[in-house]
């Protein structure tokens, strides 16, 4: 058995960018359809969307000098019970297959616990794909050195073909935002968003160069206005210039049926199956906040955004807490639903036990 002394955990630096992107490319997420989450052309530039404070932990194989694993820690202000707390997000956990099963995950979390000593985060949130038994067994098994996980929600990601979304109810007035609308949009997002647990506090600087919403223009935000005030916002955020979702392979049945499925998709106005190795042409449903969770407003917003992105995307990725009323406004049968379990993470078990998880959560789909 290899000795773990052969490995060193440290924070990544700018010179590690290419190696970090290579680790992501080598380690797609398991499943019938394997998806790769790429960060081309710059890992660190793509990390800007995760929060103003960001660290990347790497596992370096000292025998080769190469990076064989990584994980990220980011922190941003989020609402909990109406108050703002600095809450961390743990993501992008990857470890090359040849280096698994020798205790490196536990060592990585021990290093994370040292970083957590800076007191920046009150607690962490993370997501685990439902059905990823390997990750669940390792992280939720109560192993020594690992933090405590408490599941607080089931997160639904729905892939909706834009061609179908354009036909949603158009009976509600929606228009694209203008730069002068930004202060009102920020006020609306914080006023309504503070009622949803884990909603990220928004500031005007988030839309500036280097801000959280990298590549998202104010004009990409659609507003529903009633009685002279904003009652809903939504944007389709195209991240393919810096973050990509790549289909690595299809099950053999899909490969055989591909010509038939592509033909059927053409006549039904649906997107064709993406070819392995190519990025999905998708837009992340972002800033999706609707006062009183009105389904008519939500559908009108999505329809307007879908029409404006006819040439840039084929699928909208919308995310909901399974308890959110808006989840029922968008049928699951059109493009499938990907389920993840949302967990709070801390080494302080008492803190997790006191956390009120009765409220539906709201996470920014494009920042996970």
């Amino acid at each position: 058995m290899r000795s773990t002394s052969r490995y060193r955990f440290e924070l990544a630096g700018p010179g590690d960018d290419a190696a970090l992107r290579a680790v992501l490319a080598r380690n797609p997420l398991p499943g019938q359809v394997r998806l790769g989450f790429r960060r081309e052309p710059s890992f660190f530039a793509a990390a800007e969307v995760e929060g103003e404070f960001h660290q990347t932990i790497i596992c370096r194989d000292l025998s080769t000098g190469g990076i064989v694993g990584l994980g990220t820690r980011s922190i941003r202000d989020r609402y909990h019970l109406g108050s703002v707390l600095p809450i961390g997000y743990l993501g992008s956990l990857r470890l090359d297959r040849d280096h698994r099963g020798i205790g490196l995950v536990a060592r990585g979390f021990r290093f994370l616990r040292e970083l957590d000593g800076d007191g920046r985060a009150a607690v962490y949130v993370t997501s685990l794909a439902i059905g990823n038994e390997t990750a669940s067994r390792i992280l939720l098994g109560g192993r020594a050195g690992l933090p405590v996980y408490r599941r607080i929600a089931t997160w639904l990601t729905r892939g909706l073909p834009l061609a179908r979304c354009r036909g949603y109810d158009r009976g509600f007035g929606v228009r694209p935002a203008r730069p002068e609308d930004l202060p009102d949009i920020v006020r609306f997002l914080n006023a309504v968003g503070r009622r949803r647990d884990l909603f990220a506090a928004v500031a005007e600087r988030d839309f500036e160069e280097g801000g959280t919403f990298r590549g998202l223009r104010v004009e990409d935000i659609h507003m529903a206005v009633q009685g002279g005030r904003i009652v809903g916002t939504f944007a389709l955020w195209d991240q393919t210039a810096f973050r990509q979702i790549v289909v690595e392979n299809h099950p053999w049945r899909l490969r055989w049926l591909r010509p038939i499925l592509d033909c059927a998709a053409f006549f039904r106005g649906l997107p064709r199956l993406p070819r392995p190795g190519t990025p999905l042409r998708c837009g992340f449903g972002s800033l999706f906040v609707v006062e009183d969770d009105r389904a008519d407003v939500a559908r009108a917003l999505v329809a307007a955004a879908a029409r404006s992105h006819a040439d840039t995307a084929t699928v909208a990725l919308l995310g909901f807490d399974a308890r959110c009323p808006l989840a029922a406004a968008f049928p699951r049968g059109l493009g499938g639903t990907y389920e993840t379990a949302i967990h709070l993470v801390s080494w302080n078990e008492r803190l997790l036990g006191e956390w009120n998880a009765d409220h539906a959560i709201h996470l920014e789909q494009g920042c996970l």
Side-chain angles (χ1 to χ4, degrees), residues 27-323:
N27 292 279
L29 294 187
Q32 280 197 327
V33 178
R34 293 198 305 164
L35 296 178
F37 292 83
R38 308 289 183 88
R39 301 293 183 263
E40 303 291 344
S42 168
F43 181 93
F44 289 107
E48 293 174 355
V49 306
E50 296 180 12
E52 291 183 356
F53 180 84
H54 180 91
Q55 292 175 318
T56 299
I57 300 168
I58 57 174
C59 176
R60 193 180 299 279
D61 183 348
L62 297 178
S63 68
T64 64
I67 296 174
V68 299
L70 67 91
T72 61
R73 174 198 188 216
S74 56
I75 300 170
R76 64 187 307 170
D77 286 341
R78 296 178 182 273
Y79 288 105
H80 175 58
L81 301 181
S83 299
V84 174
L85 294 175
I87 294 177
Y89 179 75
L90 303 178
S92 300
L93 181 60
R94 302 288 192 278
L95 184 64
D96 285 345
R97 182 176 298 277
D98 292 344
H99 303 271
R100 298 174 188 173
I102 58 173
L104 292 178
V105 172
R107 274 194 60 188
F109 272 98
R110 284 197 292 271
F111 184 71
L112 172 63
R113 188 171 190 177
E114 293 176 13
L115 297 176
D116 182 57
D118 61 14
R120 287 179 179 269
V123 70
Y124 295 92
V125 63
T126 195
S127 61
L128 292 177
I130 294 177
N132 188 342
E133 299 300 332
T134 300
S136 297
R137 184 176 65 254
I138 294 173
L139 299 176
L140 308 182
R143 296 190 179 190
L146 267 63
V148 178
Y149 283 67
R150 179 189 174 193
R151 183 168 174 173
I152 59 169
T154 297
W155 190 256
L156 310 176
T157 299
R158 294 202 169 139
L160 304 182
L162 289 191
R164 292 291 183 89
C165 294
R166 296 177 200 126
Y168 286 165
D169 179 21
R170 304 184 185 187
F172 199 94
V174 174
R175 68 168 176 85
R178 297 183 288 265
E180 57 268 27
D181 294 317
L182 184 57
D184 289 335
I185 291 173
V186 169
R187 279 191 290 270
F188 167 77
L189 291 172
N190 286 307
V192 178
R194 68 187 305 131
R195 306 170 199 162
R196 290 100 189 268
D197 213 32
L198 299 180
F199 184 88
V202 182
E204 291 185 43
R205 65 177 180 276
D206 290 323
F207 298 89
E208 299 172 355
E209 186 72 24
T212 299
F213 295 104
R214 176 186 175 89
L216 182 67
R217 305 173 305 162
V218 174
E219 294 85 351
D220 294 325
I221 305 171
H222 283 75
M223 305 164 40
V225 180
Q226 189 174 52
R229 64 185 186 88
I230 300 173
V231 295
T233 59
F234 178 77
L236 276 177
W237 188 3
D238 181 2
Q239 298 186 352
T240 52
F242 57 96
R243 301 207 318 172
Q244 305 83 27
I245 301 176
V246 176
V247 176
E248 302 292 352
N249 77 323
H250 291 303
W252 66 268
R253 292 182 181 85
L254 280 184
R255 291 198 295 270
W256 279 99
L257 293 173
R258 182 187 181 100
I260 299 173
L261 295 174
D262 282 350
C263 183
F266 174 79
F267 285 106
R268 296 179 64 192
L270 299 175
R272 297 184 179 185
L273 285 174
R275 296 188 180 279
T278 60
L280 293 176
R281 294 184 59 209
C282 61
F284 290 90
S286 302
L287 305 174
F288 199 6
V289 176
V290 178
E291 190 175 72
D292 299 325
D293 294 320
R294 291 178 52 182
D296 59 338
V297 175
R299 289 169 66 88
L301 284 164
V302 173
R307 291 193 294 271
S308 70
H309 285 76
D311 299 327
T312 59
T314 58
V315 175
L317 299 179
L318 306 186
F320 310 94
D321 185 314
R323 297 167 291 187

